[in-house]
Amino acid sequence: MSEFENWRLLLSLLQNISLNPETKDSVGWALDKKGLYNTKSLYRFLSNGGFPSRMAGHIWKCRIPLKIKFFLWQMFNNKLPVGASLIKRGWRGSGKCSLSDDLETADHIFFRFRCFLARLCWSILKEVFNWGVMPRSIKSLTETWLWGKGPLPKRLIMFTFAGLSWALWTTRNKMTIEHKFSKSPSDIMYLALSYLQKWAVLLKEEDRERMEAVRSAIMNWMKMFKPNVVPISDVVEI
Amino acid sequence: MGNGDNCRFWQDCWLLNVPPKIAFDDLYKMVRDPYVSVSDCWEGEIGLWTLGDPFL
């Protein structure tokens, strides 16, 4: 830009400002409307260029235990200690999923669990929520699923999603760390339902009723699904 | 911004997120008094900026 253009720009900036001889100059924190320093505004500025992350907002507002909020936040930011991430940090394990030969990534745990573990759960949610197709990755979930138009408000989709992913994660931990395998793939869904029921006390009353309807819809789908005769080890081979 | 007495026109972040001496570095080179205060550049009685003064 030429000096002259800069000069005109400076003058136009000044035009909107007038001084007030009655008051003294003061220094304020520019990232906050009130001019007061707070870590929240600085964190936003540093991590997201000043804009609050949409996903973070939905996670923090969701009525679930704090521990689960942290878990979701880690999951959406790919910060969970899954096999692939541990290897990156120099861990000497195999980094593989305990049920298959695939490298264990977050997407693998939550969406591609070989055998039906994750997929069964998603297909049930797909039916209950009337989704067109099943989500295949955390990315596709954040881009479309959580914001899709459906019978449920976003906060309850997030609530349901929190229950299912926590169930998948705790099941994964049981298998990977304690080497305990559940007897039936539907156990995960029942575990998820038990979390949802436990957390329902945190919801507002009208939402609690809506979640109750979701719960019974899921239960109905579960009754139609009878894999109990097939132990997990057999399903894995499919 | 108050009366502009305690603020340096070119050095302080009062107009933008960066000091004017950075944003308008080419103009800053031509300034006669780089440490002029904001109030020095403002004519309160007529309510106008008199930025011409600090320049040569």
Side-chain angles (χ1 to χ4, degrees):
Chain A
M1 245 202 281
S2 74
E3 286 157 9
F4 184 63
E5 279 172 50
N6 268 339
W7 170 244
R8 294 211 337 201
L9 180 62
L10 177 57
L11 287 185
S12 70
L13 284 172
L14 288 171
Q15 225 163 36
N16 302 319
I17 297 175
S18 57
L19 298 185
N20 181 0
E22 308 295 321
T23 57
K24 288 202 164 178
D25 296 338
S26 61
V27 181
W29 180 247
L31 297 177
D32 178 73
K33 274 183 204 156
K34 286 178 193 155
L36 300 174
Y37 170 79
N38 53 52
T39 37
K40 186 179 171 186
S41 62
L42 180 62
Y43 179 80
R44 265 186 193 178
F45 178 73
L46 292 177
S47 59
N48 233 323
F51 295 98
S53 137
R54 199 163 62 149
M55 186 51 75
H58 283 287
I59 293 173
W60 301 131
K61 274 186 211 146
C62 192
R63 292 178 171 243
I64 47 178
L66 189 60
K67 175 169 89 170
I68 311 298
K69 293 184 191 187
F70 281 116
F71 161 74
L72 285 183
W73 187 89
Q74 283 184 306
M75 177 180 163
F76 283 118
N77 290 284
N78 198 18
K79 301 283 186 232
L80 286 174
V82 296
S85 311
L86 292 175
I87 282 182
K88 254 189 210 166
R89 292 175 212 166
W91 180 58
R92 292 197 187 163
S94 76
K96 284 180 178 167
C97 165
S98 49
L99 287 178
S100 66
D101 260 351
D102 299 322
L103 187 65
E104 191 197 56
T105 62
D107 275 340
H108 182 85
I109 294 173
F110 296 107
F111 296 98
R112 284 183 224 129
F113 244 163
R114 213 149 138 219
C115 80
F116 301 12
L117 285 182
R119 290 203 207 151
L120 160 79
C121 305
W122 287 113
S123 61
I124 290 173
L125 284 197
K126 173 185 165 246
E127 299 301 333
V128 171
F129 289 133
N130 232 339
W131 288 339
V133 273
M134 259 169 43
R136 299 250 160 228
S137 66
I138 293 175
K139 198 161 168 265
S140 81
L141 190 91
T142 50
E143 279 168 2
T144 44
W145 300 95
L146 289 173
W147 324 121
K149 282 176 193 149
L152 274 191
K154 284 169 198 165
R155 60 178 186 280
L156 292 187
I157 293 183
M158 185 62 112
F159 183 83
T160 313
F161 173 73
L164 176 53
S165 19
W166 186 242
L168 282 166
W169 182 244
T170 49
T171 304
R172 175 265 181 198
N173 289 342
K174 271 231 161 79
M175 295 194 302
T176 314
I177 301 164
E178 297 172 38
H179 303 290
K180 280 184 191 161
F181 294 83
S182 50
K183 291 191 188 77
S184 154
S186 54
D187 284 358
I188 295 183
M189 207 63 212
Y190 285 116
L191 187 61
L193 288 174
S194 76
Y195 289 136
L196 293 179
Q197 191 172 31
K198 209 162 125 190
W199 303 340
V201 289
L202 302 168
L203 291 171
K204 286 180 184 158
E205 205 173 321
E206 46 164 307
D207 280 354
R208 217 175 298 158
E209 284 165 21
R210 285 165 121 160
M211 276 314 295
E212 197 43 50
V214 171
R215 246 175 52 79
S216 57
I218 295 176
M219 287 297 260
N220 280 338
W221 279 98
M222 295 302 292
K223 275 175 203 154
M224 285 190 261
F225 179 82
K226 289 206 171 72
N228 300 8
V229 284
V230 190
I232 273 196
S233 52
D234 291 350
V235 185
V236 176
E237 302 307 320
I238 294 173
Chain B
M1 209 57 213
N3 56 23
D5 281 344
N6 277 319
C7 184
R8 300 232 181 266
F9 189 94
W10 295 100
Q11 277 76 17
D12 287 327
C13 301
W14 65 282
L15 200 57
L16 300 162
N17 285 333
V18 291
K21 75 168 186 176
I22 304 286
F24 303 101
D25 55 341
D26 49 353
L27 300 180
Y28 182 64
K29 279 181 215 150
M30 297 185 280
V31 169
R32 187 172 32 173
D33 177 7
Y35 299 105
V36 64
S37 74
V38 174
S39 57
D40 290 339
C41 306
W42 168 259
E43 192 50 68
E45 300 205 344
I46 50 172
L48 279 179
W49 291 96
T50 54
L51 239 206
D53 287 356
F55 288 93
L56 282 169

